[in-house]
Amino acid sequence: MNHTQTYTIKGMHCASCAGIIEKTFKKISGVQSADVNYATETAKVAHDAAQVSPQALSEAIEPLGYSLILPMAQEMGMSADEHAVHLGLNQSKKEKLAELAAMRTQVLVSIPLAIISGIVMAWELSAQAGIVPTVPQVWSEFFHHLLPLMATYMLFIVGKPYLQGVYRFARYGSANMDTLIGIGTGAAYLYSVIVTALAEPLRPLINVDYTYYDVVIVVIAFITPRKPLEARA
């Protein structure tokens, strides 16, 4: 029996996510049509209830980092209001605000790290052009050890969603904006770590005086503010 239902989707954070989910639904046997709306975080799916269940739809997108909030009030012998309380759906605004607050915290941490990295980058470039004196040795050594720590925090803490995007792409072939950012910053970080660890053996082959920790920091700091803006919208 054909059944059309609109489901709320958890986990979407960019427009390409909607396309990925919609494409995944349409591949499922028994699904006639699927229309995913990123703005409202919903999916309108027409499917044969005898062939595919709402649980199966959710399970199909869970490996990609998404899930459906399934209406199971009747199955649990509850009214719609009781089921909402049971699932905590009546606290969705509170949860969204908590998520937004966490995103803002990441932005507030990212900005000063990006400013420090930008100053170091500008100082070194200006010194090479003869505009300002070269960086004193003591400060050069200090930043040489500080930038890798900052980049590690930015990539693995603030940039965790981007690394997860790379993982989902490698495992399921599903890519979105996070995948692109994760690949770019991850490659820059990995190259920099290799150059730092193997500077002397690599010196005859490449210029080991340049690393890209600052790129990792600045790119992630530049992209991160979009998440709280999208969540608020």
Side-chain angles (χ1 to χ4, degrees), residues 112-136:
L113 296 184
I115 291 174
I116 293 173
S117 179
I119 291 174
V120 174
M121 188 189 311
W123 191 351
E124 290 179 343
L125 292 175
S126 299
Q128 291 176 9
I131 301 174
V132 298
T134 58
V135 181

Side-chain angles (χ1 to χ4, degrees), residues 17-212:
C17 293
I20 292 171
I21 296 170
E22 188 171 301
K23 184 178 179 180
T24 302
F25 282 158
K26 289 179 178 179
K27 289 181 178 179
I28 300 174
S29 178
V31 173
Q32 283 79 44
S33 64
D35 182 17
V36 180
N37 190 316
Y38 168 59
T40 59
E41 297 183 324
T42 59
K44 185 177 181 181
V45 185
H47 59 92
D48 187 341
Q51 289 186 267
V52 58
S53 65
Q55 289 79 5
L57 293 174
S58 184
E59 290 171 1
I61 61 174
E62 283 173 6
L64 306 179
Y66 317 106
S67 63
L68 301 182
I69 298 178
L70 301 177
M72 299 186 297
Q74 293 180 350
E75 298 177 15
M76 301 179 67
M78 298 179 179
S79 67
D81 291 340
E82 290 173 337
H83 188 247
V85 173
H86 173 73
L87 293 180
L89 299 181
N90 56 329
Q91 299 176 349
S92 59
K93 181 176 180 180
K94 180 179 179 180
E95 293 172 354
K96 200 71 175 179
L97 289 175
E99 181 183 5
L100 184 59
M103 292 177 181
R104 285 173 176 167
T105 299
Q106 290 186 337
V107 172
L108 292 177
V109 172
S110 300
I111 290 175
L113 296 184
I115 291 174
I116 293 173
S117 179
I119 291 174
V120 174
M121 188 189 311
W123 191 351
E124 290 179 343
L125 292 175
S126 299
Q128 291 176 9
I131 301 174
V132 298
T134 58
V135 181
Q137 184 64 27
V138 62
W139 283 105
S140 179
E141 286 296 321
F142 174 73
F143 289 126
H144 176 76
H145 293 89
L146 178 63
L147 288 180
L149 296 177
M150 292 167 53
T152 300
Y153 174 84
M154 289 294 289
L155 181 63
F156 292 99
I157 303 300
V158 180
K160 184 178 178 180
Y162 311 126
L163 296 180
Q164 291 173 335
V166 176
Y167 169 76
R168 287 193 291 269
F169 173 68
R171 184 168 182 180
Y172 304 106
S174 170
N176 56 19
M177 185 190 298
D178 287 353
T179 307
L180 178 61
I181 299 168
I183 291 175
T185 55
Y189 179 84
L190 182 61
Y191 172 86
S192 300
V193 169
I194 293 173
V195 169
T196 301
L198 304 173
E200 292 309 316
L202 292 175
R203 191 175 296 277
L205 303 175
I206 60 175
N207 188 342
V208 297
D209 295 329
Y210 294 98
T211 58
Y212 298 97

